[in-house]
Amino acid sequence: MPSHNLAHIKIDDLEIIGYSVAGEETVVAMPQLDICFDIGKAPDQIISINNMLLTHGHMDHAAGFAYYLSQRNFCGIAPGTIYAPQNLLAPMREIIDAWGRLDGNKVPGNLVGVKAGEEYQIKPNLFVRVFPTKHGIDSVGYSVIEKRKKLKTEYSSLTGPQLVELKKQGIQIDYPLEVPIVTYIGDTQYVDFSQLNYIKESKILIAECTFYETDHTGRAEAGKHMHINEFAQLLDKLQNKHIIIAHTTQRTPMRQIQKILKESLSPEKYNRTTLLMANRQR
Ligand SMILES: [Zn+2]
Ligand SMILES: [Zn+2]
């Protein structure tokens, strides 16, 4: 039996598996991209994924990182890579060292400190771009971007040998194309993320929307989270094809969240939206 009953969502050829409840645990993995956003308590199903992208140091998002590294070592898998905001690296190293002393075995792993505005290569064509979020402590979000080369339209009718000939002459026949596949926002208060085109146009958006009830606006403000009123406003400015909502509160039953969501979004946006935690196998 796996440790967690995770939610499953499939979008074209990409799977999204995860568990995300505010204050309890958040972990969202995309196995085909070999990426996991936040790590929660390190469910069994994500241990084999090579790249962990942590958004911030809150325990419900980051608790399992040392266990993840240790389990990989135990199972004979190469050390994993954990990306996290730069300032988290020193305390993370202390935790890993302390576990090494408690356990009697060194815990191997690669830690990469990330900065908003920078980009990190995951696979030959796959890059992770880091952007700032607003959550009261060091926090970031991540966009996964595929970089391709596209043939310029003026050459589209040419044959293979003709293109080779042009290339030989030093003519630039293609141009770089960026395709934002998925954006994971992590914990944040409202920010106008539509100002960043790669977020606005990301095919998939995975975002927190923690609170739904009218009298929970104060809670959203205090915890630096989004309330549905703000989230609806944000969605109006974004163009994502698929929207997955994570980090829902335990204070409101899922059925009520679904009802409020339907009332708060335009039918056009609502039809693109799914609640992560409503997609668990019973
Ligand atoms: Zn959280
Ligand atoms: Zn948090």
Side-chain angles (χ1 to χ4, degrees):
M1 273 292 280
S3 63
H4 284 58
N5 172 11
L6 300 180
H8 280 76
I9 293 171
K10 195 147 191 243
I11 296 172
D12 301 332
D13 52 352
L14 291 176
E15 272 174 303
I16 296 158
I17 58 171
Y19 186 99
S20 180
V21 174
E24 185 192 328
E25 181 171 12
T26 287
V27 48
V28 181
M30 297 190 67
Q32 283 83 3
L33 300 179
D34 202 14
I35 278 173
C36 183
F37 303 106
D38 288 328
I39 198 165
K41 300 172 195 169
D44 295 345
Q45 296 96 320
I46 60 98
I47 301 292
S48 61
I49 293 176
N50 287 307
N51 303 289
M52 294 291 137
L53 310 178
L54 301 188
T55 57
H56 64 299
H58 280 160
M59 184 90 91
D60 52 321
H61 292 250
F65 77 87
Y67 184 75
Y68 158 76
L69 295 175
S70 151
Q71 278 294 295
R72 287 177 67 97
N73 192 34
F74 180 71
C75 300
I77 316 173
T81 302
I82 303 179
Y83 298 82
Q86 199 113 49
N87 291 344
L88 270 62
L89 254 56
M92 285 172 73
R93 285 205 180 97
E94 285 173 33
I95 289 170
I96 291 170
D97 288 347
W99 268 118
R101 292 199 299 278
L102 279 172
D103 188 82
N105 290 295
K106 233 179 149 295
V107 185
N110 309 314
L111 302 188
V112 179
V114 302
K115 272 197 233 155
E118 307 263 292
E119 223 175 63
Y120 303 83
Q121 190 170 18
I122 300 282
K123 292 183 185 188
N125 291 337
L126 211 59
F127 293 76
V128 164
R129 195 169 290 162
V130 182
F131 58 88
T133 56
K134 256 182 149 178
H135 190 43
I137 56 171
D138 285 317
S139 67
V140 298
Y142 297 96
S143 284
V144 181
I145 292 164
E146 191 187 338
K147 293 191 181 182
R148 297 181 198 155
K149 279 187 176 166
K150 193 144 169 50
L151 190 65
K152 290 181 182 169
T153 42
E154 60 261 45
Y155 302 125
S156 58
S157 59
L158 298 188
T159 63
Q162 285 173 317
L163 292 173
V164 171
E165 191 50 43
L166 287 177
K167 261 186 153 178
K168 266 194 212 159
Q169 293 170 23
I171 294 169
Q172 191 70 40
I173 58 164
D174 49 27
Y175 63 94
L177 183 71
E178 289 191 352
V179 183
I181 300 173
V182 57
T183 292
Y184 178 81
I185 289 188
D187 283 8
T188 185
Q189 64 185 73
Y190 175 86
V191 173
D192 181 7
F193 291 105
S194 71
Q195 290 174 6
L196 295 170
N197 271 332
Y198 58 89
I199 299 181
K200 186 180 177 179
E201 291 161 11
S202 195
K203 183 179 167 193
I204 304 170
L205 175 77
I206 306 171
E208 82 128 281
C209 181
T210 307
F211 294 107
Y212 295 82
E213 297 175 50
T214 312
D215 56 0
H216 284 177
T217 47
R219 288 187 189 278
E221 212 173 300
K224 295 193 163 51
H225 289 297
M226 270 191 274
H227 186 274
I228 184 65
N229 295 344
E230 297 163 311
F231 187 65
Q233 211 182 310
L234 175 63
L235 283 194
D236 278 343
K237 301 180 189 181
L238 299 176
Q239 297 170 354
N240 317 100
K241 252 177 146 179
H242 306 275
I243 299 145
I244 295 166
I245 298 180
H247 209 267
T248 38
T249 177
Q250 303 176 66
R251 295 176 185 276
T252 308
M254 187 48 80
R255 208 166 273 178
Q256 201 184 338
I257 291 179
Q258 280 168 317
K259 188 172 169 277
I260 297 172
L261 191 66
K262 196 170 185 180
E263 292 162 358
S264 308
L265 302 182
S266 67
E268 189 258 338
K269 289 289 175 193
Y270 179 75
N271 289 337
R272 301 176 184 202
T273 306
T274 182
L275 283 155
L276 181 75
M277 293 305 275
N279 286 276
R280 291 165 86 206
Q281 289 147 350
R282 278 155 232 287

